[in-house]
Amino acid sequence: SQTIHQWPATLVQPVGSPLSLECTVEGTSNPNLYWYRQAAGRGLQLLFYSVGIGQISSEVPQNLSASRPQDRQFILSSKKLLLSDSGFYLCAWSRGSIGTQYFGPGTRLLVL
Amino acid sequence: KNEVEQSPQNLTAQEGEFITINCSYSVGISALHWLQQHPGGGIVSLFMLSSGKKKHGRLIATINIQEKHSSLHITASHPRDSAVYICAVITGNQFYFGTGTSLTVIP
């Protein structure tokens, strides 16, 4: 069976500090991978998606970047966090672009 | 105007009631997803639809492509159904999300 892991579960970081959130998927190969953010009281926003190693598409201009160094590893990064980067970050995977998406447990990020 | 509109925004029901959540969209889509987000934040994908109707346990999802409308029904609602239900549509490589319907089922 397939599983998706995210860590850390919770993170508190000062403004201007770097960020690295990791997502890994087990039990499948060549998944589509996604990073979403949900700001407090707001809906989901797709940040990045990847259809393969080294292939990243960005949906919105922002302070964040994503990388896919391995088939089942997706990393969300920032060089300098902003207060507005606070939120709930979710990683998801799917088979193909329109398949069912399976979500990780999420990371709560608070930037102070 | 949002590409995806959900109604109602908030819904309170008595245990056992039949519940309907609606989703209307304004773009041509490849697929539509219904997601469930629990109070702790975790998200579960309930359905992925491109036409017709799907059923899983007490949950039923329908989509009318011509009318650009989908509904999520919950039969015999239970307090554990309390969650935020999110409609999301995919068109090409674009994802559009509704703002969610917050459902509370009272025992």
Side-chain angles (χ1 to χ4, degrees), chain B:
Chain B
K1 185 183 184 300
N2 294 331
E3 289 83 358
V4 180
E5 299 279 357
Q6 281 185 240
S7 63
Q9 282 191 310
N10 296 286
L11 181 58
T12 300
Q14 288 292 133
E15 182 173 358
E17 285 186 10
F18 180 83
I19 289 164
T20 296
I21 300 171
N22 295 299
C23 174
S24 296
Y25 52 91
S26 58
V27 295
I29 67 169
S30 314
L32 180 145
H33 292 256
W34 279 103
L35 310 172
Q36 180 191 53
Q37 184 171 30
H38 290 283
I43 290 183
V44 173
S45 178
L46 298 175
F47 296 103
M48 193 274 289
L49 296 163
S50 54
S51 65
K53 175 180 174 178
K54 286 190 176 179
K55 184 176 189 293
H56 182 71
R58 295 180 294 106
L59 302 177
I60 303 167
T62 63
I63 188 169
N64 185 316
I65 298 294
Q66 287 73 32
E67 295 185 3
K68 295 189 174 180
H69 181 268
S70 175
S71 293
L72 176 68
H73 306 285
I74 304 175
T75 60
S77 60
H78 190 276
R80 64 174 174 266
D81 297 325
S82 298
V84 175
Y85 292 83
I86 301 167
C87 173
V89 300
I90 300 172
T91 173
N93 288 327
Q94 297 294 316
F95 290 70
Y96 301 98
F97 292 87
T99 53
T101 294
S102 179
L103 170 66
T104 302
V105 181
I106 300 170

Side-chain angles (χ1 to χ4, degrees), chain A residues 34 36 38 43-46 49 59 88 90 97-101 103-105 108, chain B residues 30-31 33 35 37 39-43 45 48 86 90 93-95 97-99:
Chain A
Y34 310 87
Y36 294 92
Q38 187 177 41
L44 280 172
Q45 180 184 39
L46 179 64
Y49 71 92
E59 288 297 298
F88 187 50
L90 287 150
S97 297
I98 62 170
T100 298
Q101 293 195 19
F103 287 82
R108 294 198 181 279
Chain B
S30 314
H33 292 256
L35 310 172
Q37 184 171 30
I43 290 183
S45 178
M48 193 274 289
I86 301 167
I90 300 172
N93 288 327
Q94 297 294 316
F95 290 70
F97 292 87
T99 53

Side-chain angles (χ1 to χ4, degrees), chain A residues 3-4 6 14 18 24 43 45 66 70-71 75 77-79 88 95 100:
Chain A
T3 55
I4 179 168
Q6 278 187 250
T24 59
Q45 180 184 39
Q70 300 180 46
D71 182 44
I75 298 172
S77 305
S78 173
K79 291 182 179 178
F88 187 50
R95 292 187 190 89
T100 298

Side-chain angles (χ1 to χ4, degrees), chain A residues 83-106:
Chain A
L83 287 174
S84 58
D85 291 324
S86 294
F88 187 50
Y89 289 82
L90 287 150
C91 180
W93 74 273
S94 69
R95 292 187 190 89
S97 297
I98 62 170
T100 298
Q101 293 195 19
Y102 301 91
F103 287 82

Side-chain angles (χ1 to χ4, degrees), chain A residues 7-13 18-21 81 87 107-111:
Chain A
W7 64 91
T10 306
L11 190 60
V12 181
Q13 291 286 98
L19 173 74
S20 180
L21 301 182
L81 284 168
T107 294
R108 294 198 181 279
L109 172 66
L110 179 60
V111 182

